[in-house]
Amino acid sequence: MITTDYLVIGSGVAGLTFTVKIAERFSNKTVTIITKGDEDESNTKYAQGGVAVVLNKEEDSFQKHIRDTLIAGDGLCDEAVVEMVVNEGPKRFNELITWGANFDTNTAGKFDLGKEGGHSEYRVVHHKDITGYEIERALLQRIHQLKNTKLLPHHFSIDLITEHQVTSIEKKETRCYGAYVLDEKTGTIFTVRANNTILASGGIGKVYGHTTNPIIATGDGIAMAYRAKALIKDMEFVQFHPTVLYNKEGGSSFLISEAVRGFGAYLRDKKGHRFMLYYDTRAELASRDIVSQSIDKELKKSGDSCVFLDCTHLDIVAFQKHFPTIYQKCKSLGIDVTKDWIPVVPASHYLCGGIVVNKYGKTTIQNLFCCGEASRTGLHGANRLASNSLLEALVYAHNIFKFLSENNSIHLPIEIPKWNDEGILLNEEITVIENSLKELQILMRDYVGIVRSNTRLKIAKKKLDIIYNKVEKLYKTSKITTVLCELRNMVTIAYLIINQSLERKENKGGYFNIDNSAK
Ligand code: FAD
Ligand code: SIN
């Protein structure tokens, strides 16, 4: 068993930012970060476009960023949260700089500001087209210098410890005491007992086979919190990114940043029509929900497999400087962006909903906090404005830090039972796990995609029940492994997305159901 003051689950921007702040402020307290996979593997690492922050006060203003966020969120944002996050932006961004993260500057020595869909001004700070990689690098470097922080890669959090396991105390309210953790290398399961637990476990992209997300994005934190009876909301608002490099096999796919459209690229159908002009006055720079739904319509109408991003009219020297990774990736596939159009399709990218938190990142479970993509703060409403996610993670990591700095909590010395794996057989069912995952991803693609219907959602629910029963049986009789737990968690996430979709009776932002009234 490990005992720690703060248990942080996840090593993306949210978890690392909280850790740097709390560990540097309280050198007498211990922080334990557990993260499955390599220490830097996260959605954060792949963020391209950048961080939306108001720096150029001559043309931009907090009011404009607030308005753009509210418009993108289609009436469902929490306005107080939007104001708070936008206003905090510059302070949190400056902290990143002091921690050693580098962002591109222009010839005048000012930060080079990019533009993305839904933004009325240039306000996206970036490090070429690998902004997330740079942020992750700087934060990890800082973490490695901290003496009171232990970072455990290849450790998987299976479940949160709450009153449900701790039988010795009265069940007045649910409290979190830490988590059960699997050491992925040895297969042993141990207890991490913590005064406060911070879930920073990221998104759910992998529930859909075709996604911009890396393999870690399996919604574990949300599923764990749901099992612990935390409030989960807005799961129907899965954001599909419009321009993901077309790949016949599906699977994890390379993103072509929205900043490329901000730089002037056009979307065309195979005949060359700039179809976005017919859908929105902002054309290619309409918000993501609108562009993805328009591409989906175009593809259904034409029967084509993809649309195209045309960069051939752009200043190629500047393009290469701003987007070296995208340029090289295309080149490696034989796509010369100076002459060829880039084939693109929408793919699952981001979850706007998640674990409900208040402005201090507190969940509905005592001593359990959440920040980053796993959380539902009210910032995004029905659709996230581009590059507001890294910003949200920075702001909420800070808010949790602030709250915990001012409110100390120590648990009573209670007995926490060890993980019980009595009667568990050896796991020889890897093919069942792989097949069930494929079934789940096909189900989500075919029945719970960009455009939904009540009939398809109800079919999805029935089909999911079958997968659920199979996976639960496996879980109860098999040795615990990461892939099995991830599958179980993804089934939970699918269940939440389907059920919350069926509950939504009005189309908003990224949610579109043909049986609901038009937007
Ligand atoms: P993550 O960075 O995903 O980190 C989650 C961590 O939790 C990982 O370390 C993971 O291993 C760990 N974890 C998960 N489950 C467990 C478990 N059971 N046990 C232990 N550890 C666990 N947003 C922007 O604002 N701007 C952008 O330009 C941008 N571009 C993007 C491009 C791509 C390709 C993608 C995929 C996303 C992009 N986003 C962007 C979204 C943004 O990157 C993410 O929303 C954000 O980085 C999430 O940070 P996070 O810390 O919450 O989660
Ligand atoms: C992108 O670069 O297009 C992704 C930006 C985001 O998800 O906010």
Side-chain angles (χ1 to χ4, degrees):
M1 177 160 98
I2 293 181
T3 302
T4 187
D5 290 301
Y6 306 101
L7 167 62
V8 177
I9 301 174
S11 57
V13 62
L16 296 182
T17 301
F18 170 78
T19 303
V20 168
K21 301 196 82 142
I22 204 88
E24 290 191 350
R25 168 70 74 87
F26 299 106
S27 57
N28 59 337
K29 300 229 167 143
T30 55
V31 188
T32 304
I33 309 173
I34 67 145
T35 190
K36 59 178 178 176
D38 292 341
E39 62 177 18
D40 66 343
E41 194 55 357
S42 56
N43 275 5
T44 300
K45 183 180 170 185
Y46 301 93
Q48 294 186 354
V51 189
V53 59
V54 177
L55 295 179
N56 170 12
K57 297 267 178 54
E58 277 154 34
E59 272 136 54
D60 202 1
S61 67
F62 290 143
Q63 271 324 311
K64 285 185 183 173
H65 189 182
I66 291 166
R67 195 186 58 212
D68 293 344
T69 303
L70 293 173
I71 293 172
D74 204 7
L76 294 190
C77 300
D78 179 330
E79 287 200 34
V81 167
V82 175
E83 267 178 44
M84 182 272 289
V85 172
V86 167
N87 291 339
E88 283 284 300
K91 279 185 253 159
R92 305 287 73 89
F93 171 67
N94 284 332
E95 270 169 355
L96 273 183
I97 309 269
T98 60
W99 295 335
N102 297 304
F103 293 87
D104 293 354
T105 48
N106 57 25
T107 44
K110 294 200 167 146
F111 286 111
D112 181 46
L113 303 175
K115 197 172 189 186
E116 293 179 53
H119 288 276
S120 57
E121 294 293 343
Y122 286 81
R123 64 168 73 98
V124 181
V125 284
H126 58 94
H127 179 99
K128 301 193 168 43
D129 53 0
I130 51 165
T131 309
Y133 185 90
E134 173 60 10
I135 293 174
E136 187 76 18
R137 180 203 63 73
L139 288 169
L140 278 171
Q141 196 173 55
R142 191 99 182 176
I143 297 275
H144 290 311
Q145 288 159 10
L146 296 168
K147 295 214 163 47
N148 54 343
T149 296
K150 196 184 277 178
L151 197 166
L152 301 175
H154 300 283
H155 281 71
F156 182 89
S157 172
I158 305 168
D159 256 322
L160 298 169
I161 301 169
T162 61
E163 274 75 7
H164 305 108
Q165 288 93 1
V166 183
T167 46
S168 59
I169 52 171
E170 229 182 300
K171 294 184 180 75
K172 275 197 191 131
E173 54 185 358
T174 311
R175 211 167 262 279
C176 181
Y177 299 89
Y180 291 115
V181 174
L182 168 73
D183 178 334
E184 294 179 322
K185 295 223 160 125
T186 63
T188 48
I189 296 170
F190 61 96
T191 306
V192 180
R193 184 188 175 127
N195 287 333
N196 289 291
T197 300
I198 292 82
L199 266 176
S201 46
I204 58 109
K206 270 316 216 195
V207 175
Y208 292 82
H210 188 217
T211 177
T212 61
N213 293 189
I215 54 168
I216 53 93
T218 54
D220 302 333
I222 300 171
M224 281 190 276
Y226 176 72
R227 285 194 289 276
K229 307 209 175 345
L231 183 62
I232 315 285
K233 241 179 117 174
D234 292 350
M235 295 293 286
E236 67 275 32
F237 297 118
V238 175
Q239 183 171 71
F240 292 83
H241 196 292
T243 55
V244 177
L245 193 60
Y246 173 61
N247 153 11
K248 277 196 195 89
E249 275 82 49
S252 277
S253 293
F254 185 79
L255 180 73
I256 307 291
S257 175
E258 200 151 296
V260 171
R261 276 176 281 133
F263 196 74
Y266 298 143
L267 274 166
R268 297 190 188 278
D269 66 14
K270 90 172 168 222
K271 293 189 183 130
H273 296 130
R274 255 186 87 191
F275 58 87
M276 276 313 299
L277 291 169
Y278 306 116
Y279 289 98
D280 195 285
T281 49
R282 295 166 293 178
E284 284 83 0
L285 285 179
S287 57
R288 226 167 249 186
D289 51 340
I290 294 170
V291 182
S292 287
Q293 285 166 16
S294 307
I295 295 176
D296 189 71
K297 269 191 207 144
E298 288 294 310
L299 294 179
K300 283 190 174 130
K301 224 164 48 186
S302 64
D304 294 339
S305 323
C306 61
V307 293
F308 297 89
L309 203 53
D310 175 7
C311 306
T312 56
H313 55 288
L314 301 176
D315 171 351
I316 198 60
V317 177
F319 185 95
Q320 267 179 283
K321 190 163 169 250
H322 196 140
F323 306 110
T325 321
I326 293 172
Y327 179 82
Q328 279 307 329
K329 177 75 183 180
C330 289
K331 197 171 165 201
S332 74
L333 297 170
I335 303 164
D336 176 353
V337 297
T338 62
K339 292 196 235 111
D340 306 321
W341 298 345
I342 308 170
V344 290
V345 282
S348 98
H349 180 63
Y350 182 83
L351 178 68
C352 299
I355 304 165
V356 174
V357 294
N358 71 6
K359 69 175 175 186
Y360 303 112
K362 286 181 81 176
T363 70
T364 50
I365 294 180
Q366 296 296 315
N367 306 93
L368 179 67
F369 296 78
C370 180
C371 50
E373 192 167 340
S375 67
R376 183 271 185 202
T377 62
L379 175 69
H380 310 308
N383 173 55
R384 172 177 68 97
L385 183 69
S387 288
N388 263 358
S389 171
L390 295 170
L391 173 69
E392 180 194 48
L394 292 169
V395 170
Y396 274 82
H398 171 79
N399 289 3
I400 298 174
F401 153 75
K402 204 158 168 274
F403 179 85
L404 286 174
S405 306
E406 290 157 11
N407 298 272
N408 204 4
S409 65
I410 294 175
H411 286 316
L412 296 170
I414 42 124
E415 256 324 284
I416 295 176
K418 276 192 179 164
W419 179 260
N420 180 2
D421 55 3
E422 265 173 37
I424 297 292
L425 308 172
L426 269 188
N427 183 16
E428 290 165 5
E429 302 286 359
I430 191 71
T431 49
V432 181
I433 296 175
E434 281 172 0
N435 290 342
S436 302
L437 175 59
K438 270 190 209 136
E439 267 178 67
L440 177 72
Q441 290 175 332
I442 291 169
L443 167 85
M444 294 304 282
R445 182 196 65 194
D446 292 349
Y447 296 90
V448 200
I450 297 179
V451 175
R452 300 180 198 162
S453 77
N454 290 342
T455 312
R456 271 182 286 187
L457 288 170
K458 282 177 192 157
I459 297 173
K461 208 172 162 174
K462 280 203 183 128
K463 285 178 180 276
L464 185 67
D465 273 348
I466 300 169
I467 304 176
Y468 168 82
N469 287 328
K470 200 163 39 172
V471 173
E472 278 306 296
K473 194 166 155 216
L474 203 59
Y475 183 78
K476 287 194 179 111
T477 54
S478 305
K479 190 168 159 48
I480 295 290
T481 60
T482 295
V483 279
L484 177 54
C485 292
E486 286 179 337
L487 172 62
R488 182 173 182 240
N489 290 335
M490 283 190 273
V491 170
T492 303
I493 298 298
Y495 166 85
L496 288 165
I497 296 173
I498 294 167
N499 272 353
Q500 297 194 3
S501 294
L502 279 165
E503 281 161 20
R504 169 151 295 284
K505 301 297 174 210
E506 190 190 16
N507 290 336
K508 284 274 174 195
Y511 185 75
F512 187 76
N513 181 329
I514 54 172
D515 296 321
N516 286 350
S517 52
K519 256 199 232 180

